[in-house]
Amino acid sequence: MPIWNRTFERMERAEMRRLQCERLRNTVELVYGNVPFYRRKFEQMGLTPGDITDLGDLSRLPLTTKADIRDGYPYGMFAVPMREIVRIHSSSGVTTRPIVVGYTANDIMHWTEQVARVLSAAGVTEDDVVQIAFNYGLLTGGFGMHYGAEKLGASVIPVSSGSTERQIQIMEDFQTTALISTPSYALYMISVMDRLGVSPERLCLRVGLFGGEPMSERTRKEIESKLGIVATDNYGASAVMGPGVAGECELRSGLHVNEDHFLVEIIDPETLQVLPEGEQGELVITTLTKEGLPMLRYRTRDVTRIISEPCKCGRTTIRIEPVQKRTDDMIIVRGVNIYPSEIERLLYDIELVEPKYQIVLDRENGLDHLTLNVELSGFMASDQMQRLVGLEETIRQRVHAVIGLTPRVRLVEPKTLHGVGPSDRVVDNRESA
Amino acid sequence: MKVSQLSVFLENKSGRLADVTRALADAKVNIRALSIADTIDYGILRLIVDDPTAAKAALSDAEFTLALTEVLAIEIPDVPGGLAGMIDIFAESGINIEYMYAFVGTTGKNAIVVFRVEKVDDAIAALQKKGVHILSGDELHSL
């Protein structure tokens, strides 16, 4: 398995930390001198750039939220004059102001390098024909991946997103070997191929790099089995760069972070305290080489954990687990942070019920209660009442094992929860109580 | 010997039992016996009908959660001690009764009771040794 940049991807840990520390101090100087938002924050906190001497001081730095960046819309957070900006991207932001990202020539060079590493880690080489089905435009996905794939020497097809039938035709005729898209778009392509009667065997596809949204293990397995490819996950956030922040190697056991360019931390989204290594929480990223839009402790709202044991692939960089959820989905019951998606995942493994559920929160005498409505499948293996009572107990125990809270379980008839979507997945009656 | 019984999962909300009986009526299925076991939130409705296949199809079309189980319909003398004598046979043979309920019809002087037991075949053997009449599906439906 080739490693694109052995110097940085296999760097000794102590040396990496020295490099990160030096780059962190440069970034702090840069934002303190050039970004009024950070200057104000430092002054409020009674902090000067000189106070940051080693990586342990990272947690003393202010956090940055999406709202902070939006407040500076469009260029308020840029750290260089506009003449040094060579590219501008932006998040979609329909209802709110978008996040605008500016890149210097050096930023583009580093971005390109990091995407090449992620592609290489996933097994892409100069022999591959890479089809990029991300939107080419204001969003970071298309161009970000494109530059990296070209740098790698692959043959790049900038097909962009949409026109799925043509996309499939191209995939077949151009003998695409690597697909870059969101996981949900890959699933959609599979369904269209099915409808068109295009058998995956007619394709030359062997690897896929999926990003831009969480990819569940179930989705990964489905893509892998239906397309007959290796599906890898990669991670990026527009505010700190775009795709290329981290990506899985062929072992698919966590996403390698490009640590010479990013410092990652995990915090408790409620207390904002840094969590001990290995614990799950919100991913916070500090850029180390960005010039156009440097970020101190940017709160991604993505939930993951850090894996620091070295990977068998030979890279020494730390890894993060694939992001499966966002803090926005989190609910708090009796002080416990709960992600509904965790409950959904455990229901997949329980027979006789569908992974369809609804969470109802009530407050009785000041105490929060969580009721989990779970849909029964259409067939019961037994008509004994104790089986159903046992099923409820199993669900109660498994949920308790995962979230640390015992719910009240209510079995409901099939199709009852058919129309339940993200907006009414959680019914919170606590405020009105 | 064994009789097919259809079990339906019902949430405790008004109108659900009516939905079951309406679906069966529309499918021209006749209910011969029924019993309900319930908890706070839901119940299991157990039915013996004249046409289990048609009943099963009608109820799965209506998207009910179903189970098909085999039960024993047994003739019991309709006199004091009739049921006690029958239960003794099960006890002596070490057969656990999961649940039981009375059938609506009778045969002459005898009552009919539906039993769901753990070891159905052992139960049949024990009952036959004592000369107990176990009704077949056809016998039951023709009552």
Side-chain angles (χ1 to χ4, degrees):
Chain A
M1 284 184 289
I3 293 176
W4 180 255
N5 192 326
R6 301 182 78 85
T7 310
F8 293 104
E9 293 181 84
R10 289 183 52 105
M11 190 174 259
E12 287 287 327
R13 294 306 301 165
E15 199 181 337
M16 177 62 83
R17 275 191 286 271
R18 270 196 301 278
L19 179 72
Q20 287 180 319
C21 184
E22 182 192 315
R23 290 180 170 181
L24 175 66
R25 289 168 66 180
N26 290 342
T27 300
V28 168
E29 290 281 357
L30 178 69
V31 299
Y32 184 80
N34 298 284
V35 184
F37 165 81
Y38 283 119
R39 165 79 70 135
R40 259 196 326 273
K41 283 268 181 187
F42 273 60
E43 282 168 359
Q44 280 164 14
M45 300 167 83
L47 209 62
T48 63
D51 294 332
I52 307 305
T53 54
D54 63 56
L55 291 180
D57 295 323
L58 182 62
S59 58
R60 299 175 64 185
L61 293 171
L63 291 158
T64 311
T65 64
K66 282 189 200 335
D68 293 331
I69 306 176
R70 287 199 182 103
D71 287 346
Y73 177 85
Y75 303 146
M77 296 288 275
F78 286 13
V80 296
M82 282 306 284
R83 66 172 180 278
E84 287 182 40
I85 297 290
V86 300
R87 176 105 60 87
I88 294 167
H89 280 290
S90 166
S91 68
S92 40
V94 181
T95 51
T96 53
R97 284 171 164 180
I99 287 174
V100 180
V101 195
Y103 302 80
T104 66
N106 279 335
D107 289 341
I108 297 289
M109 183 184 77
H110 287 144
W111 189 9
T112 301
E113 152 73 19
Q114 290 174 82
V115 170
R117 288 185 200 169
V118 166
L119 288 164
S120 173
V124 178
T125 71
E126 57 194 4
D127 295 323
D128 278 298
V129 177
V130 178
Q131 184 160 341
I132 300 177
F134 275 141
N135 175 281
Y136 274 68
L138 273 178
L139 300 178
T140 54
F143 281 100
M145 283 296 189
H146 184 103
Y147 275 57
E150 269 192 8
K151 168 136 190 180
L152 192 71
S155 314
V156 185
I157 311 172
V159 66
S160 195
S161 58
S163 23
T164 309
E165 294 191 14
R166 189 163 154 261
Q167 184 107 231
I168 291 165
Q169 184 76 53
I170 287 172
M171 199 183 288
E172 188 178 350
D173 295 346
F174 292 15
Q175 294 166 23
T176 301
T177 58
L179 172 66
I180 296 178
S181 75
T182 60
S184 55
Y185 190 63
L187 287 178
Y188 179 66
M189 285 176 102
I190 290 169
S191 74
V192 174
M193 284 166 62
D194 212 33
R195 181 162 54 76
L196 297 176
V198 174
S199 159
E201 279 152 34
R202 273 157 54 187
L203 306 176
C204 300
L205 217 53
R206 58 171 202 86
V207 61
L209 285 95
F210 302 103
E213 63 188 22
M215 172 164 67
S216 69
E217 277 311 299
R218 195 182 167 95
T219 299
R220 187 206 295 264
K221 285 204 180 83
E222 191 173 342
I223 293 172
E224 290 195 330
S225 69
K226 295 210 165 134
L227 287 178
I229 64 172
V230 172
T232 63
D233 196 351
N234 65 86
Y235 179 82
S238 294
V240 300
M241 185 171 76
V245 174
E248 282 180 328
C249 64
E250 288 168 275
L251 299 175
R252 284 166 291 162
S253 52
L255 287 68
H256 290 274
V257 178
N258 283 315
E259 279 189 281
D260 47 330
H261 297 280
F262 297 104
L263 263 175
V264 294
E265 300 166 274
I266 300 292
I267 65 165
D268 181 318
E270 285 305 304
T271 66
L272 306 182
Q273 296 302 305
V274 178
L275 291 171
E277 208 172 274
E279 277 194 33
Q280 178 180 277
E282 180 178 344
L283 177 67
V284 168
I285 301 177
T286 299
T287 65
L288 295 176
T289 53
K290 283 286 291 296
E291 296 173 341
L293 184 65
M295 280 284 130
L296 296 185
R297 308 190 74 207
Y298 172 69
R299 294 186 59 184
T300 62
R301 303 215 159 267
D302 292 316
V303 176
T304 182
R305 63 165 60 87
I306 290 174
I307 309 166
S308 42
E309 303 91 76
C311 182
K312 292 190 182 69
C313 72
R315 289 175 185 80
T316 54
T317 47
I318 60 164
R319 289 165 286 160
I320 53 172
E321 277 187 355
V323 172
Q324 300 286 354
K325 55 202 176 208
R326 302 176 57 80
T327 56
D328 310 33
D329 307 327
M330 190 179 80
I331 51 175
I332 303 169
V333 184
R334 295 191 203 176
V336 180
N337 301 346
I338 295 170
Y339 300 97
S341 53
E342 290 183 319
I343 293 176
E344 178 169 348
R345 232 169 305 138
L346 72 91
L347 291 178
Y348 274 119
D349 298 328
I350 298 178
E351 275 178 80
L352 305 177
V353 298
E354 298 289 313
K356 295 200 186 109
Y357 65 99
Q358 186 173 42
I359 291 167
V360 182
L361 302 172
D362 294 291
R363 183 164 291 159
E364 290 162 27
N365 304 323
L367 199 59
D368 293 348
H369 291 274
L370 189 154
T371 304
L372 185 62
N373 293 334
V374 185
E375 202 176 283
L376 270 182
S377 55
F379 186 73
M380 293 189 285
S382 149
D383 76 333
Q384 283 173 273
M385 191 56 91
Q386 67 194 73
R387 270 295 190 90
L388 290 177
V389 173
L391 179 61
E392 290 182 322
E393 183 57 24
T394 304
I395 297 171
R396 260 197 300 276
Q397 285 175 3
R398 299 236 185 130
V399 171
H400 180 265
V402 172
I403 68 173
L405 202 75
T406 306
R408 180 162 178 254
V409 174
R410 266 194 64 221
L411 298 174
V412 302
E413 291 170 15
K415 308 283 175 187
T416 316
L417 303 176
H418 213 57
V420 172
S423 58
D424 49 359
R425 173 80 57 228
V426 178
V427 179
D428 196 340
N429 299 322
R430 293 179 295 181
E431 290 315 305
S432 49
Chain B
M1 286 295 152
K2 298 169 202 165
V3 178
S4 286
Q5 170 195 259
L6 204 56
S7 302
V8 189
F9 175 86
L10 285 182
E11 270 180 74
N12 283 357
K13 47 186 188 189
S14 56
R16 289 310 277 162
L17 184 56
D19 292 340
V20 173
T21 48
R22 177 52 47 203
L24 293 177
D26 290 346
K28 309 230 176 324
V29 171
N30 192 10
I31 301 169
R32 303 311 314 264
L34 64 81
S35 107
I36 294 182
D38 64 347
T39 68
I40 296 169
D41 294 319
Y42 56 81
I44 299 174
L45 170 68
R46 299 175 176 129
L47 297 160
I48 292 179
V49 296
D50 60 350
D51 188 345
T53 317
K56 189 172 177 234
L59 294 175
S60 25
D61 283 351
E63 289 174 341
F64 282 100
T65 294
L66 301 174
L68 207 54
T69 42
E70 288 182 321
V71 292
L72 299 175
I74 298 164
E75 231 174 37
I76 294 176
D78 197 1
V79 293
L83 182 59
M86 199 62 58
I87 305 266
D88 283 345
I89 298 177
F90 288 120
E92 282 161 21
S93 321
I95 290 159
N96 254 333
I97 300 167
E98 285 172 6
Y99 56 81
M100 51 181 275
Y101 54 95
F103 195 73
V104 188
T106 54
T107 55
K109 288 244 165 53
N110 293 326
I112 301 166
V113 176
V114 175
F115 285 92
R116 165 75 186 172
V117 294
E118 260 179 6
K119 302 174 227 162
V120 188
D121 294 320
D122 292 1
I124 292 171
L127 292 165
Q128 282 176 332
K129 214 158 70 187
K130 300 276 181 179
V132 174
H133 182 212
I134 306 169
L135 285 86
S136 69
D138 287 345
E139 273 178 285
L140 206 60
H141 301 149
S142 61
L143 285 176

